[in-house]
């Protein structure tokens, strides 16, 4: 829903990226149907679909198409003043003229997120947008995503961010959906946490340790 931030989590190989690409219309379905705004993805014109839906790849280099950081974000934009604002939020304002491929991996990932945020699509799907970032930068990226007017669907391995920012979380294991609900409820299902090889957020680890000490 608009304004909602949804997390998709699970162990490597559980099917997260495949699912996200299906949801974005990038990978064809072998069966079933996905609807966006009540219309099957197969019925959307590509141009109209990607005005309403953005996708950030796990490998940022898959989506760069220009020769400078500024032009990468400004590409196709009428309102160019917003470019400077997003560059500042993403810590890239000193790299306006740099070629996207000359950036560090962390900077490339932030740039790939920024290129989609400026278009204000109804739905933004991101595959590990904070991977390789330090805690402060990852939190800043999440704050920017959290301010987005549309919906955000995000694959992540970082349970701290899920705990702090996600409105709901879905857990995949071997292509099977084994949990859908709030992050706070998920942490209480230790069998699911173990099965999906998730790491409890620090506050929950601390809480569990305090409970164990009280029992003993």
């Amino acid at each position: 829903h608009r304004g909602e931030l949804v997390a998709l989590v699970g162990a490597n190989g559980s099917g997260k990226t495949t699912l996200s690409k299906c949801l974005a219309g990038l990978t064809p379905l072998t069966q079933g149907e996905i609807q966006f705004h009540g219309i099957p993805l197969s019925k959307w014109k590509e141009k109209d679909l990607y005005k309403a839906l953005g996708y950030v790849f796990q490998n940022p280099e898959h989506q760069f198409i220009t020769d400078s950081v500024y032009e990468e974000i400004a590409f196709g934009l009428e309102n160019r003043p917003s470019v400077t604002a997003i560059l500042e939020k993403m810590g890239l304002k000193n790299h306006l003229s740099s070629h996207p491929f000359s950036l560090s991996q962390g900077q490339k990932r932030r740039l790939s997120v920024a290129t989609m945020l400026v278009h204000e699509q109804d739905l933004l799907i991101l595959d590990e947008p904070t991977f390789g970032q330090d805690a402060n930068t990852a939190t800043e990226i999440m704050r920017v995503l959290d301010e987005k007017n549309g919906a955000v669907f995000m694959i992540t391995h970082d349970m701290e961010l899920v705990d702090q920012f996600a409105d709901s979380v879905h857990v995949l294991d071997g292509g099977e959906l084994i949990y859908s609900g709030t992050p706070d409820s998920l942490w209480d299902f230790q069998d699911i946490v173990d099965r999906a090889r998730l790491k409890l957020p620090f506050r929950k680890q601390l809480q569990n340790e305090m409970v164990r000490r009280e029992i003993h």
Side-chain angles (χ1 to χ4, degrees), residues 122-167:
D122 296 338
L123 172 62
L124 186 56
I125 300 174
L126 308 103
D127 194 348
E128 297 281 11
T130 63
F131 185 80
Q133 309 296 317
D134 61 37
N136 289 335
T137 308
T139 299
E140 187 56 37
I141 290 173
M142 292 305 303
R143 283 179 179 150
V144 174
L145 291 174
D146 203 35
E147 293 169 0
K148 183 174 166 55
N149 290 325
V152 174
F153 182 89
M154 176 186 70
I155 295 172
T156 185
H157 68 289
D158 192 328
M159 297 306 111
E160 298 293 341
L161 298 182
V162 172
D163 190 51
Q164 293 174 46
F165 292 98
D167 297 299

Side-chain angles (χ1 to χ4, degrees), residues 51-63:
K51 279 184 179 179
L53 183 155
Y55 187 88
V56 176
F57 288 87
Q58 189 174 45
N59 185 340
E61 295 172 351
H62 287 172
Q63 63 193 78

Side-chain angles (χ1 to χ4, degrees), residues 164-213:
Q164 293 174 46
F165 292 98
D167 297 299
S168 62
V169 56
H170 305 277
V171 183
L172 277 186
D173 180 64
E176 178 188 355
L177 188 66
I178 61 173
Y179 176 86
S180 291
T182 65
D184 207 40
S185 295
L186 171 60
W187 314 138
D188 292 327
F189 288 96
Q190 192 61 49
D191 57 333
I192 292 175
V193 170
D194 292 341
R195 179 176 167 184
R197 299 194 285 280
L198 306 177
K199 182 180 179 181
L200 288 175
F202 180 72
R203 71 161 188 90
K204 188 62 180 178
Q205 293 180 41
L206 192 61
Q207 183 181 339
N208 289 350
E209 181 60 28
M210 291 175 66
V211 169
R212 281 193 289 270
R213 289 181 180 179

Side-chain angles (χ1 to χ4, degrees), residues 50-104:
Y50 295 117
K51 279 184 179 179
L53 183 155
Y55 187 88
V56 176
F57 288 87
Q58 189 174 45
N59 185 340
E61 295 172 351
H62 287 172
Q63 63 193 78
F64 296 151
I65 56 175
T66 72
D67 294 328
S68 76
V69 167
Y70 180 88
E71 288 301 327
E72 195 66 40
I73 298 178
F75 186 81
L77 276 184
E78 294 180 4
N79 180 23
R80 292 207 164 196
S82 62
V83 175
T84 305
I86 195 67
L87 281 169
E88 188 163 353
K89 285 183 178 181
M90 288 298 182
L92 295 169
K93 65 178 180 178
N94 294 327
H95 301 276
L96 290 177
S97 302
S98 300
H99 195 288
F101 287 92
S102 72
L103 301 177
S104 70

Side-chain angles (χ1 to χ4, degrees), residues 10-22:
N12 290 339
S14 60
K16 302 186 299 297
T17 294
T18 299
L19 174 58
S20 71
K21 287 183 175 179
C22 288

Side-chain angles (χ1 to χ4, degrees), residues 20-27 29 33-46 49-50 53 123:
S20 71
K21 287 183 175 179
C22 288
L23 293 175
L26 299 172
T27 296
L29 301 178
E33 181 180 83
I34 294 173
Q35 293 190 358
F36 180 49
H37 284 315
I39 303 170
L41 285 184
S42 58
K43 300 290 179 64
W44 280 81
K45 292 181 180 178
E46 188 173 293
L49 177 63
Y50 295 117
L53 183 155
L123 172 62

